[in-house]
Amino acid sequence: MPKSKYELIYKDLKDKIETGEFSYQQFLPSEHALVLTYGCSRNTIRRAVSRLVTDGYVQTMQGKGVRNIFRPVNQAAYTIGGIESFKESSIRNHRSGKTRVLQFMELTADEKIFLRTGFPPGSEIYYIQRLHYLDGKPLILNHNYFLKSATPGLTVEIAEDSIYEYLEHTLHMTIVNSQRVMTVEKITQIDEKYLELDVNDYNCMAVVSSHTYNSDGVMFEFTQSRHRPDYFRFQDNAVRKPVV
Amino acid sequence: MPKSKYELIYKDLKDKIETGEFSYQQFLPSEHALVLTYGCSRNTIRRAVSRLVTDGYVQTMQGKGVRNIFRPVNQAAYTIGGIESFKESSIRNHRSGKTRVLQFMELTADEKIFLRTGFPPGSEIYYIQRLHYLDGKPLILNHNYFLKSATPGLTVEIAEDSIYEYLEHTLHMTIVNSQRVMTVEKITQIDEKYLELDVNDYNCMAVVSSHTYNSDGVMFEFTQSRHRPDYFRFQDNAVRKPVV
DNA sequence: GCCGATTTGTCCGTATGTATC
DNA sequence: CGATACATACGGACAAATCGG
């Protein structure tokens, strides 16, 4: 599939920044120069550059130019702002990921599940408990709740590989956005057992809860990810906006 | 100061969504209709809507429309993606915030500080320890390192009010972006003392480390924020991008 | 301090592509 | 198929900030 022009330019500039073609603190070519280089309109350049800004790769300054502020140390681990499956981020970080399914069951949402997940009572749900290993170490314990009507045909085999791959490639679902909340919670006996934790060492952990939507506007997934505290690391680039 | 047109439209739509003018899952007026309503070009509408998308307020769907997916429960606490001072977020959440300065000193960066903060050895630094109270409860313990050459004239009085206000309004600095990393760490005796924690209850906490840049491309601040685990809550909206 | 050249920021109008209904 | 809606792309205009002469 041919990508859009601004995405190609974005990717090209990103590569050039990552490979050090522009040094730290150096200005990129002006928008006008990039227009000539890529043979496109200024708007298209600006779209590509604005993605680099949200990635924290560059900063733009009116009257001056676009400055490279990328430093290679940033590559590490998980980056907030995008949605990624465990399999995808493992590959991106060149690590070997494995997934073990601890539980796989179908259930009907009751009041208690409604309060936890937001799925209305009576909804048919797949509940899956999975353990994600990175380089042989159990790092993340996931409690997944999938709305059966939106994600029919889930199996243990799919859950062991990649549920997102199944949803996107087989069911042709389009995953759009995910509302996430990060908190710190006490570890449970289940965490202790499967993540090989010692409650005398760490007694709490990072928990990421997410409500995920598809392009039909359906909230089809609620997931609670429980992360080993000593390996948890989330990155983010924040942009200062004028106070509204 | 007159804001730009797309910002005004963004704010207006955001208000209408928050006050429930559009119900959950309902479609907003089409871009064309909004063009007529606001008397502007379609590009301008699209810029406003795209900010709502990154806020997680709406999702756009080609051929269909723009769907409202905002739910009031989202208002809570701190939202990732923007840079906000403690004072600003207190006001935004209609809470009473207070700041107490525990330490205020000037020092010269050595190798150890360089490794922790990224400020090269020899840099003149303000080191400030501050405790942030919300509704009378100590919630956040901050270790601030400010580059003296970029932030001259800091005082205890300023640190008790708002350092960002001083930097932006008095020094006319423009704060651009902040690279943040979230981790979970063991609590220290200092945390225990000032945040009124009991190590037998929680023995670790959420830590947000940030490197902040101004419009001169200078990394002028390193801050480590240590959050009470039982009150820590960070929100985020992630948008699924096509795999690159 | 002023002026002009350069650079990014905002805004407009238009055309075409693609998805939905 | 046509109508509608969002997505991409182009070109042009002017504003605002920066910098050098």
Side-chain angles (χ1 to χ4, degrees):
Chain A
M1 278 300 274
K3 272 180 215 139
S4 57
K5 200 178 278 194
Y6 81 90
E7 277 178 319
L8 293 172
I9 296 171
Y10 161 71
K11 192 181 175 336
D12 191 60
L13 288 173
K14 191 170 179 172
D15 280 346
K16 285 184 174 158
I17 290 170
E18 283 171 350
T19 57
E21 189 146 332
F22 308 108
S23 61
Y24 182 62
Q25 294 283 353
Q26 186 192 335
F27 283 98
L28 268 58
S30 75
E31 291 175 354
H32 179 64
L34 292 174
V35 163
L36 299 180
T37 304
Y38 290 102
C40 66
S41 75
R42 191 170 153 232
N43 271 333
T44 304
I45 294 295
R46 286 180 62 76
R47 288 190 69 174
V49 170
S50 82
R51 289 213 12 190
L52 293 173
V53 171
T54 64
D55 287 349
Y57 274 44
V58 300
Q59 56 177 210
T60 62
M61 284 138 61
Q62 191 169 357
K64 298 189 80 171
V66 179
R67 176 187 280 125
N68 171 25
I69 55 167
F70 171 82
R71 283 187 303 182
V73 70
N74 296 350
Q75 292 166 324
Y78 302 92
T79 301
I80 292 187
I83 303 176
E84 239 182 2
S85 69
F86 178 74
K87 189 176 178 182
E88 285 165 3
S89 69
S90 304
I91 291 170
R92 183 166 60 84
N93 293 295
H94 311 292
R95 309 281 281 282
S96 85
K98 272 243 160 52
T99 298
R100 183 177 147 207
V101 176
L102 303 178
Q103 260 197 63
F104 187 105
M105 52 189 286
E106 303 182 17
L107 47 82
T108 305
D110 54 16
E111 191 64 25
K112 197 179 150 197
I113 290 179
F114 170 61
L115 289 176
R116 191 182 321 155
T117 68
F119 290 122
S123 314
E124 298 293 316
I125 304 288
Y126 290 112
Y127 171 67
I128 310 171
Q129 230 179 73
R130 297 191 293 174
L131 195 55
H132 291 301
Y133 294 80
L134 210 59
D135 293 339
K137 253 188 144 65
L139 295 190
I140 306 170
L141 179 60
N142 267 350
H143 301 262
N144 300 118
Y145 298 79
F146 285 97
L147 190 64
K148 201 174 160 186
S149 61
T151 63
L154 278 187
T155 64
V156 173
E157 289 68 39
I158 294 168
E160 270 171 349
D161 184 28
S162 170
I163 292 179
Y164 273 29
E165 214 168 275
Y166 171 74
L167 297 180
E168 292 189 319
H169 295 153
T170 306
L171 295 187
H172 299 102
M173 175 190 285
T174 305
I175 296 159
V176 173
N177 73 315
S178 186
Q179 297 171 354
R180 297 185 289 197
V181 176
M182 259 158 288
T183 53
V184 173
E185 289 184 18
K186 293 266 180 70
I187 71 174
T188 66
Q189 289 191 349
I190 297 179
D191 301 323
E192 203 175 344
K193 176 178 169 191
Y194 288 111
L195 293 173
E196 299 167 8
L197 290 164
D198 178 6
V199 73
N200 295 316
D201 189 15
Y202 286 93
N203 70 5
C204 42
M205 63 194 312
V207 177
V208 181
S209 304
S210 56
H211 294 266
T212 307
Y213 290 76
N214 66 16
S215 61
D216 295 327
V218 175
M219 196 268 280
F220 69 94
E221 175 192 2
F222 170 82
T223 287
Q224 191 189 69
S225 293
R226 305 179 69 85
H227 294 250
R228 257 188 84 116
D230 45 351
Y231 282 86
F232 176 77
R233 181 190 166 87
F234 257 28
Q235 295 191 180
D236 176 40
N237 179 61
V239 179
R240 174 91 169 160
K241 288 170 199 142
V243 183
V244 186
Chain B
M1 278 300 273
K3 271 181 215 137
S4 57
K5 199 178 280 193
Y6 81 91
E7 276 178 320
L8 293 172
I9 296 172
Y10 160 71
K11 191 179 177 336
D12 191 60
L13 288 174
K14 191 170 180 172
D15 280 346
K16 285 185 176 160
I17 291 170
E18 284 171 350
T19 58
E21 189 146 330
F22 309 108
S23 62
Y24 181 62
Q25 294 283 353
Q26 187 192 334
F27 283 99
L28 269 58
S30 73
E31 292 176 351
H32 178 64
L34 292 173
V35 163
L36 299 180
T37 304
Y38 290 102
C40 66
S41 77
R42 193 167 153 242
N43 271 334
T44 304
I45 295 293
R46 286 179 63 75
R47 288 190 69 174
V49 171
S50 81
R51 291 217 5 194
L52 294 172
V53 170
T54 63
D55 288 349
Y57 274 43
V58 301
Q59 57 177 209
T60 62
M61 284 140 59
Q62 191 169 356
K64 299 186 80 171
V66 179
R67 178 186 279 124
N68 172 24
I69 54 167
F70 172 81
R71 285 187 301 182
V73 71
N74 295 350
Q75 293 166 324
Y78 304 91
T79 301
I80 293 187
I83 303 177
E84 240 182 0
S85 69
F86 177 74
K87 189 175 179 183
E88 284 166 3
S89 69
S90 303
I91 292 170
R92 184 166 60 84
N93 292 294
H94 311 291
R95 308 279 282 283
S96 84
K98 272 243 160 53
T99 299
R100 185 177 146 207
V101 176
L102 302 178
Q103 261 198 63
F104 187 105
M105 54 189 286
E106 303 182 18
L107 47 83
T108 305
D110 55 16
E111 190 65 22
K112 196 178 150 197
I113 290 179
F114 170 61
L115 290 175
R116 191 182 321 154
T117 68
F119 289 122
S123 315
E124 298 294 316
I125 304 289
Y126 289 112
Y127 171 68
I128 310 172
Q129 229 178 74
R130 296 192 292 174
L131 195 55
H132 291 300
Y133 293 80
L134 210 59
D135 292 339
K137 252 189 145 64
L139 295 190
I140 306 170
L141 178 59
N142 267 350
H143 301 263
N144 299 119
Y145 299 79
F146 284 95
L147 190 64
K148 200 174 161 187
S149 61
T151 64
L154 277 188
T155 64
V156 172
E157 289 68 38
I158 294 167
E160 270 171 352
D161 183 29
S162 171
I163 292 180
Y164 272 29
E165 215 168 273
Y166 171 73
L167 297 180
E168 291 189 319
H169 295 152
T170 306
L171 295 187
H172 298 101
M173 175 190 286
T174 305
I175 297 160
V176 174
N177 72 318
S178 186
Q179 296 170 353
R180 297 186 289 197
V181 177
M182 259 158 289
T183 54
V184 173
E185 289 184 18
K186 294 265 180 70
I187 71 174
T188 66
Q189 289 192 349
I190 297 178
D191 300 323
E192 203 175 343
K193 176 177 169 193
Y194 288 111
L195 293 173
E196 299 168 9
L197 290 165
D198 177 5
V199 74
N200 295 315
D201 189 16
Y202 286 92
N203 70 7
C204 41
M205 63 194 314
V207 177
V208 181
S209 304
S210 56
H211 295 267
T212 307
Y213 289 76
N214 67 16
S215 61
D216 294 328
V218 174
M219 196 268 281
F220 68 93
E221 176 192 3
F222 171 82
T223 286
Q224 190 188 68
S225 292
R226 304 178 71 84
H227 295 249
R228 255 187 87 114
D230 45 351
Y231 282 87
F232 177 76
R233 181 188 165 88
F234 256 28
Q235 294 192 181
D236 176 40
N237 178 61
V239 179
R240 174 88 167 162
K241 288 172 199 141
V243 183
V244 187

